[in-house]
């Protein structure tokens, strides 16, 4: 199974909104509503932001939102803050009953 | 407090065997799948596999199947990741992570909501 495709980097200014895409196939992203998103600051443990495409676990700010269209899922961060600067990873359930991550996207807050 | 506590850092030589552990606390261990995730220094996250502690059913990523083994001892609420013959390319941080659960509706989901602190494995001659 191949890793999901994410842009290597995105950037935005404080207060702006950014969107990170995550492209897979009909065997993973497109076939199931089981896409998750994670945030990882340097040297830290990943943190779950979104599960099942659109749902936020308790404690995750509503500035973080998820969506999906076809084989591409997206994470949108609105009202960018300095502390949002981190790496972001998508993940999806697959038809092989496994999971697969994207390659990761580095978010820079200008 | 709900947490996963992993064993400490390891330094090994190529060809040696290794088992690292992940102990659950603050939740009923047998009711959650446990996943293992690898992160090579400077690289992204890679899902390795998962185990259902209830019956020890496992799924592995094709990239890792045959090279690692995932097991569990549910009597002590602990999951394990094991290698029989390490390679230098196994040098990485390894995380265990719990299958997610939405307690408001009693729903288990495929995202991973609780992560261990990570175990650094260094394989070098």
């Amino acid at each position: 199974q191949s890793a999901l495709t994410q842009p290597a980097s995105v950037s935005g200014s404080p207060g702006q909104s950014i969107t990170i895409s995550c492209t897979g196939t009909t065997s993973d992203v497109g076939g199931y509503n089981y896409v998750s998103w994670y945030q990882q600051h340097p040297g830290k443990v990943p943190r779950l932001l979104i599960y099942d495409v659109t749902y936020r676990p308790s404690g995750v700010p509503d500035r973080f939102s998820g969506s999906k269209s076809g084989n591409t899922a997206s994470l949108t961060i609105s009202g960018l803050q300095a502390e949002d600067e981190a790496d972001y990873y998508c993940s999806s359930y697959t038809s092989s009953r496994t999971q697969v991550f994207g390659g990761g996207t580095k978010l820079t807050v200008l | 407090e709900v947490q996963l506590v992993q064993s400490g850092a390891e330094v090994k030589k190529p060809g040696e065997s290794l088992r690292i552990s992940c102990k659950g606390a603050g939740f009923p261990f047998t009711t959650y799948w446990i996943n293992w995730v690898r992160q090579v220094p400077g690289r992204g996250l890679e899902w390795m596999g998962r185990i259902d502690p209830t019956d020890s059913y496992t799924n592995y990523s094709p990239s890792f199947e045959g090279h690692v083994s995932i097991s569990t001892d549910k009597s002590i609420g602990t999951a394990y990741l094991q290698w029989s013959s390490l390679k230098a390319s196994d040098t990485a941080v390894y995380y265990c992570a719990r299958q997610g659960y939405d307690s408001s509706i009693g729903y288990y989901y495929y995202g991973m909501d609780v992560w261990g602190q990570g175990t650094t494995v260094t394989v070098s001659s």
Side-chain angles (χ1 to χ4, degrees), chain A residues 23-73:
Chain A
T23 301
T25 69
T26 55
S27 296
D28 39 63
V29 174
Y32 307 92
N33 288 325
Y34 297 143
V35 175
S36 302
W37 289 91
Y38 302 87
Q39 176 191 60
Q40 187 181 34
H41 289 103
K44 301 298 187 182
V45 175
R47 171 197 181 196
L48 178 67
L49 295 177
I50 298 286
Y51 68 91
D52 289 5
V53 179
T54 63
Y55 295 90
R56 283 186 307 277
S58 175
V60 174
D62 59 8
R63 303 186 296 105
F64 296 90
S65 62
S67 62
K68 191 186 86 167
S69 177
N71 296 337
T72 299

Side-chain angles (χ1 to χ4, degrees), chain B residues 76-112:
Chain B
I76 57 172
T78 300
Y80 302 98
L81 179 64
Q82 183 168 336
W83 296 260
S84 58
S85 181
L86 286 160
K87 304 175 184 178
S89 57
D90 292 319
T91 295
V93 176
Y94 293 87
Y95 295 101
C96 61
R98 190 188 79 166
Q99 171 195 15
Y101 180 66
D102 185 340
S103 59
S104 66
I105 57 174
Y107 170 67
Y108 291 93
Y109 52 84
Y110 286 102
M112 293 168 269

Side-chain angles (χ1 to χ4, degrees), chain A residues 86-100:
Chain A
D87 294 325
Y88 292 83
Y89 296 91
C90 62
S91 167
S92 175
Y93 179 76
T94 82
S95 59
S96 302
R97 304 177 68 185
T98 62
Q99 293 197 58
V100 62

